[in-house]
Amino acid sequence: MLGRIYDGILFRGFKQETVEELATWSGVPVWNGLTDAYHPTQIFADLLTVKETFGTLEGVTVAYVGDGRNNVANSLMMGCAKAKVNYVCCTPKALWPDPDVLAEAEAVAAKNGSTIKVFEDPKEGVKGANVLYTDVWVSMGEEDKTAERIKMLRPYQINMELMAATGNLDGKLMFLHCLPAFHDFNTDVTKESGALEVTDEVFESKYSKVFDESENRMHTIKALFVSALCDRKNI
Ligand code: NVA
């Protein structure tokens, strides 16, 4: 029914299966605007920000530090593989990427000549990285895991020490986050837990491109809509 009303549908919901079912039956383009498993539209904005800032995607290494198997991490890994960008995931063993998702991204990266690596030690993993990326430690639907996640991910906080561990403080280096971010103690959640995935020092630093990235969500979503709708109408 929704497909009879709209020319396209962006689903920002919960279960991955729901968006897939919608895409199967609606008969119009369906975009995944966020599910528990993937966040693909975010990655267009991320990659555009990298290209805009560094002038190229070639030879760039993106290091994602945190919950290595959440929706953003899954899509970032696949997006980097597709865009021929090297991807490093720094995450505790318990949050390692799902083996099937990892294998799928590895196959694409191998075809494109880029690399995908997973590290447990964040300092080791970020060496040589040009982009440090993180996301919240507790994603949608996992609120009951807050205490255990904070304990597990504290060593994966992005702070100036970790930025320095890239060896690129004086070279090509930026910080990205899909937002919203916990970066200071002005929220009830951070006041109570004392936990931040990124320090305010990094979030507000010259390396942080989070607001360019956020603005780029608008430009890239428009491009996505135009490309699918024009294609459909043969324009
Ligand atoms: N991983 C986050 C993404 C928010 C855009 C979440 O699921 O809450």
Side-chain angles (χ1 to χ4, degrees), residues 12 34-35 39 70-72 135-136 138-140 178-180:
R12 190 171 171 112
L34 180 69
T35 65
H39 196 13
N70 77 5
N71 38 20
V72 171
D135 183 15
V136 289
V138 183
S139 281
M140 54 197 280
C178 57
L179 302 185

Side-chain angles (χ1 to χ4, degrees), residues 90-158:
C90 303
T91 191
K93 267 261 149 59
L95 299 174
W96 218 252
D98 175 90
D100 291 344
V101 179
L102 181 60
E104 198 186 337
E106 274 172 344
V108 175
K111 220 168 69 197
N112 282 336
S114 60
T115 57
I116 293 182
K117 292 181 185 156
V118 188
F119 283 84
E120 225 184 324
D121 178 351
K123 283 222 175 102
E124 187 61 28
V126 302
K127 269 186 202 158
N130 309 106
V131 180
L132 289 200
Y133 195 124
T134 194
D135 183 15
V136 289
W137 289 345
V138 183
S139 281
M140 54 197 280
E142 301 185 326
E143 292 75 12
D144 59 326
K145 300 204 162 48
T146 303
E148 104 189 24
R149 279 295 164 70
I150 289 174
K151 217 166 127 202
M152 211 184 263
L153 288 170
R154 236 183 242 285
Y156 293 82
Q157 181 191 62
I158 297 193

Side-chain angles (χ1 to χ4, degrees), residues 199-234:
T199 60
D200 209 38
E201 193 185 7
V202 171
F203 191 85
E204 299 292 356
S205 72
K206 64 175 183 183
Y207 302 105
S208 178
K209 298 292 172 203
V210 295
F211 297 112
D212 291 347
E213 181 188 11
S214 187
E215 178 189 328
N216 282 336
R217 293 282 279 133
M218 173 177 65
H219 304 307
T220 47
I221 281 283
K222 286 199 292 194
L224 197 62
F225 288 169
V226 167
S227 103
L229 295 176
C230 288
D231 199 35
R232 196 171 147 76
K233 292 184 192 301
N234 277 328

Side-chain angles (χ1 to χ4, degrees), residues 46 49-50 54 60-66 72 76 80 85-90 121-135 155-169 172-178 197-199 202-203 205 207-210 213:
D46 303 338
T49 310
V50 173
F54 295 152
V60 169
T61 297
V62 171
Y64 176 94
V65 184
V72 171
L76 186 63
C80 286
V85 167
N86 300 317
Y87 177 78
V88 177
C89 180
C90 303
D121 178 351
K123 283 222 175 102
E124 187 61 28
V126 302
K127 269 186 202 158
N130 309 106
V131 180
L132 289 200
Y133 195 124
T134 194
D135 183 15
Y156 293 82
Q157 181 191 62
I158 297 193
N159 48 41
M160 269 303 169
E161 209 185 319
L162 198 63
M163 294 288 280
T166 61
N168 279 330
L169 278 187
K172 256 191 198 172
L173 181 62
M174 75 170 80
F175 168 72
L176 294 180
H177 191 304
C178 57
E197 69 267 13
V198 55
T199 60
V202 171
F203 191 85
S205 72
Y207 302 105
S208 178
K209 298 292 172 203
V210 295
E213 181 188 11

